[in-house]
Amino acid sequence: MSTDLFCEIIAGERSAHMVSSDDVALAFLDIRPVFKGHVLVVPRVHVETLTDLDDVGPFFERVKAVARAVEEGLEAGGTFVAMNNRISQSVPHLHVHVVPRHRKDGLRGFFWPRTTYESADEAASYAARIAKAL
C-alpha cells in the first residue's frame, strides 16, 4: 500500500471524521471544506486516478449514496460532485468531492475560466479526437 494521506486514513494510522466505510470505499469530512459537510469519497484500494480504477461501478454507487446522504442529512438543496485527475489533485489517491449546496451560497459554477470554440468545425474536431480515443 502507498503511504499517501488517504492510505494512512484507510489503514487507521490517521484519524478522520468518518461518514462511512466498507470494503469498497471510505467517506470522511474534508479537513479544508468548501462548505461545512464537504465529504471526500476514496476507494479503499490505492489508485491515483479514475483511469486506474478497475471496477468503477461499486465505487460510484458509494459516491451516489454519499451525495444523497449529504442532501438529506444536511437539508442541502443539492450537491457539487467533482474530482481531479493529476492536475490540481492535492493527494495522489483517487477521491471524489461531495459538497453540499444551497441557493445563494456564493459558489458560482466552475472554479476556472470558460472558453469557446472558434467554430462548429473546431468543436467537431475535438469531439472526433476524443471519440477516436474511445
Side-chain angles (χ1 to χ4, degrees), residues 22-96:
D22 64 19
D23 60 327
V24 173
L26 279 75
F28 48 87
L29 294 182
D30 191 312
I31 61 171
R32 296 178 303 155
V34 174
F35 296 119
K36 293 176 183 177
H38 176 167
V39 176
L40 298 177
V41 184
V42 303
R44 191 169 281 280
V45 61
H46 176 81
V47 293
E48 186 174 335
T49 67
L50 179 61
T51 56
D52 300 325
L53 186 61
D54 290 331
D55 195 4
V56 299
F59 177 70
F60 276 96
E61 286 294 326
R62 276 45 173 206
V63 173
K64 177 181 171 182
V66 168
R68 180 179 296 121
V70 165
E71 286 187 22
E72 291 176 7
L74 301 179
E75 298 178 1
T79 56
F80 176 73
V81 178
M83 78 170 64
N84 291 302
N85 283 291
R86 291 188 193 92
I87 305 299
S88 295
Q89 189 176 7
S90 58
V91 177
H93 189 120
L94 176 65
H95 56 285
V96 176

Side-chain angles (χ1 to χ4, degrees), residues 1 6 10 20 27 37 45 58 65 68 77 86 90 97 101 105 109 119-120 123-124 130 134:
M1 184 175 274
F6 296 158
I10 292 164
S20 70
V45 61
R68 180 179 296 121
R86 291 188 193 92
S90 58
H97 298 261
R101 295 296 313 274
D105 60 16
S119 66
I130 297 166
L134 283 173

